[in-house]
Amino acid sequence: SSVRSAQPMQDPRAGRFNVLGMLRSAMMDKAATFRTEGQRKLLEQVINVRESCIAVLPTGSGKSMAWIVPAATSASAQFVVVVVPLVSTLNSHGATADRYQIKWLNWKQSDGLTIAHDVRIVFVTPESAGEDFIQRYVTTSERCIHLSDSHLV
């Protein structure tokens, strides 16, 4: 086990982030590897391409790292909004964030709430994802990466 890096590792040749290095930093494990090829591709898309994507991966393939890695390794005030459809999933994700020592918030209402700079993950329900406050962050903020963790078809 190692200490998490303060800054994500960047590949100077390509001007891209070293996704494996970021995974290892987030997991605080110098020997960590990608669980699946699908996980590697998803992390590459989320971290380096930063365009819309859909990932359909089986349970246990490492999808959660798509929000854990950017949240744990961001040196900026960036945070990740994760749309979570089930309370049980939200509780599980909150426990995962705690395990990785990532400060998170369960968005419930927009009563003048601002998102503190030390919050790295904001979990929202599909209903609250449409609120003006969340939409403003998702569409205009450089602080935000938006992911949906849907288990329903």
Side-chain angles (χ1 to χ4, degrees), residues 74-91:
S74 176
S76 67
Q78 187 175 55
F79 65 90
V80 180
V81 173
V82 182
V83 181
V84 182
L86 304 171
V87 172
S88 60
T89 303
L90 186 138
N91 292 337

Side-chain angles (χ1 to χ4, degrees), residues 28-29 50 55 58 66 115:
M28 295 179 276
D29 180 354
R50 299 278 316 251
I115 298 171

Side-chain angles (χ1 to χ4, degrees), residues 1-3 8 25 27 47 59 65 68 108 111 119 132 145:
S1 177
S2 66
V3 176
S25 177
M27 296 183 74
I47 294 167
T59 300
M65 286 296 153
I68 293 169
K108 292 185 182 170
D111 291 15
V119 170
D132 289 342
I145 296 173

Side-chain angles (χ1 to χ4, degrees), residues 19-63:
V19 177
L20 180 57
M22 291 177 73
L23 175 73
R24 289 175 173 168
S25 177
M27 296 183 74
M28 295 179 276
D29 180 354
K30 291 179 182 180
T33 61
F34 296 110
R35 185 173 285 179
T36 64
E37 179 63 11
Q39 180 189 53
R40 185 197 64 74
K41 289 178 180 179
L42 175 60
L43 285 170
E44 184 69 37
Q45 181 75 21
V46 168
I47 294 167
N48 282 320
V49 179
R50 299 278 316 251
E51 291 181 7
S52 297
C53 71
I54 294 176
V56 180
L57 299 170
T59 300
S61 63
K63 294 180 296 292

